Amino acid sequence: MKSSTRGIRLLTATAAWFAALAFLSACGGGASGGGGAAPLPPPPVQQSSMFVTDAYQNAVLVFPESANGNVSPASYLAGSNTALAGPSGIAVSANGTIYVTNALNDSVTIYAAGASGNAAPSTIIAGSATELDAPVGIAVAANGTVVVANSGTTSGTPSITEYAPGANGNAAPTSVIAGAATTLDRPGYLTLDAAGNIYVANLLGNSVAVFASGATGNAAPARQIVGAQTQLANPDGIALDANGRIYVANDGNGYSVTVYSSVAAGNAAPLAVLAGSNTALYNPSGIAVNGLGTLFVADTTAFGSYGGVTLYAPGAFGNVGYNAVVSGGNTGFVRPAGIALH
């Protein structure tokens, strides 16, 4: 895990960058380069926003779904008061509350709906009792339960921890999924379905593990997607669409997004694969799918110095170009990581 000293330096750099961004926006100017508008028609979007963590900038950047090109964020969270430290996963609840995992200080920071700038979190889950260990993925159930995937790089024990609605401070998890039977191996991002089942991408296990709602302890997954036919290669990001299909961002073997049936299990071939030079995928990380089927991919290095978020129209698979991209000096992106839509 990266050092806390580096995290402090990044916080200082971030504050300076966002101060410059505010000045440039007021003057109508900004840095150029990277992330020009995509040549394909824009994809269908909703009247909502994308919330994107940037692990290098120690920031959360917010754009409308319709954003395209080298545009400034509509709002952001960054600065020493935010307590962001290597932010990775992000989730936004139905009421707009923002939940962020921080890998550098083993915490979950929670912000009120609409929080922006150098805003302090309303709640922080952190401390030895929490069992947080380099947390990455996060999801919030309809009842407010917080579910976190821990990569386990400090303890050597990857896990999924759950916290009661309103958990604060050094709160012990209400449930821990950990142990050899779980098959967890450097878990990345996770998501939940309407029934509360947990879908987690196993980065080093080259698998997707699905745990039944209520699973705890050394529980085996209810099902797995694993095997050569799956084309999973260092899977990191994961999302479900409105029909329950499973989308996975693969950070290895040529970079891809693979899509599976809602009931896929075992050595199941994907229904579709997005891959190839035209896609601009390069180190894809967090992904999301809106209610219209548009795919959003946070990519850490697809556009050189800036990284970016690429958008693909529903059904756009194979070696196809993206339909929109948010990238460039004005965006604030350096290494975008997790993404949530709300």
Side-chain angles (χ1 to χ4, degrees), residues 1-330:
M1 207 157 60
K2 300 168 187 171
S3 71
S4 58
T5 303
R6 181 176 182 227
I8 293 169
R9 291 201 301 268
L10 291 175
L11 282 169
T12 303
T14 298
W17 187 92
F18 281 103
L21 175 62
F23 173 77
L24 288 168
S25 298
C27 294
S32 62
L40 297 178
V45 295
Q46 298 175 306
Q47 297 300 312
S48 58
S49 298
M50 60 176 105
F51 294 71
V52 186
T53 59
D54 193 294
Y56 191 90
Q57 290 277 52
N58 283 336
V60 173
L61 302 149
V62 185
F63 301 85
E65 281 194 15
S66 58
N68 192 7
N70 185 12
V71 297
S72 299
S75 66
Y76 62 84
L77 284 165
S80 57
N81 290 342
T82 66
L84 292 168
S88 299
I90 186 165
V92 183
S93 69
N95 67 3
T97 301
I98 304 164
Y99 298 74
V100 181
T101 58
N102 296 281
L104 289 182
N105 63 8
D106 295 336
S107 71
V108 173
T109 45
I110 303 170
Y111 307 87
S116 64
N118 191 15
S122 58
T123 301
I124 300 177
I125 301 174
S128 58
T130 67
E131 301 188 44
L132 291 168
D133 185 355
V136 180
I138 187 167
V140 181
N143 69 354
T145 296
V146 179
V147 185
V148 178
N150 298 280
S151 61
T153 55
T154 299
S155 67
T157 303
S159 67
I160 296 172
T161 48
E162 298 187 15
Y163 304 89
N168 189 13
N170 192 16
T174 57
S175 173
V176 179
I177 300 173
T182 68
T183 74
L184 292 173
D185 191 355
R186 196 65 68 85
Y189 295 89
L190 59 73
T191 191
L192 308 175
D193 65 17
N197 299 309
I198 303 168
Y199 298 68
V200 59
N202 268 318
L203 183 71
L204 297 186
N206 285 331
S207 68
V208 170
V210 183
F211 295 93
S213 177
T216 191
N218 189 17
R223 58 187 166 106
Q224 291 188 80
I225 302 172
V226 62
Q229 292 188 75
T230 68
Q231 299 185 46
L232 292 169
N234 299 128
D236 198 8
I238 189 166
L240 305 179
D241 70 10
N243 295 308
R245 289 183 290 253
I246 305 164
Y247 290 64
V248 181
N250 296 283
D251 192 28
N253 193 26
Y255 312 114
S256 67
V257 174
T258 46
V259 185
Y260 306 89
S261 159
S262 62
V263 295
N267 193 14
L271 299 174
V273 179
L274 177 68
S277 58
N278 291 336
T279 67
L281 291 171
Y282 194 84
N283 295 131
S285 184
I287 62 173
V289 183
N290 73 9
L292 302 174
T294 296
L295 173 65
F296 297 69
V297 181
D299 203 304
T300 59
T301 51
F303 301 95
S305 300
Y306 300 110
V309 175
T310 44
L311 284 68
Y312 303 88
F317 292 101
N319 187 14
V320 299
Y322 51 84
N323 295 81
V325 60
V326 181
S327 182
N330 289 340

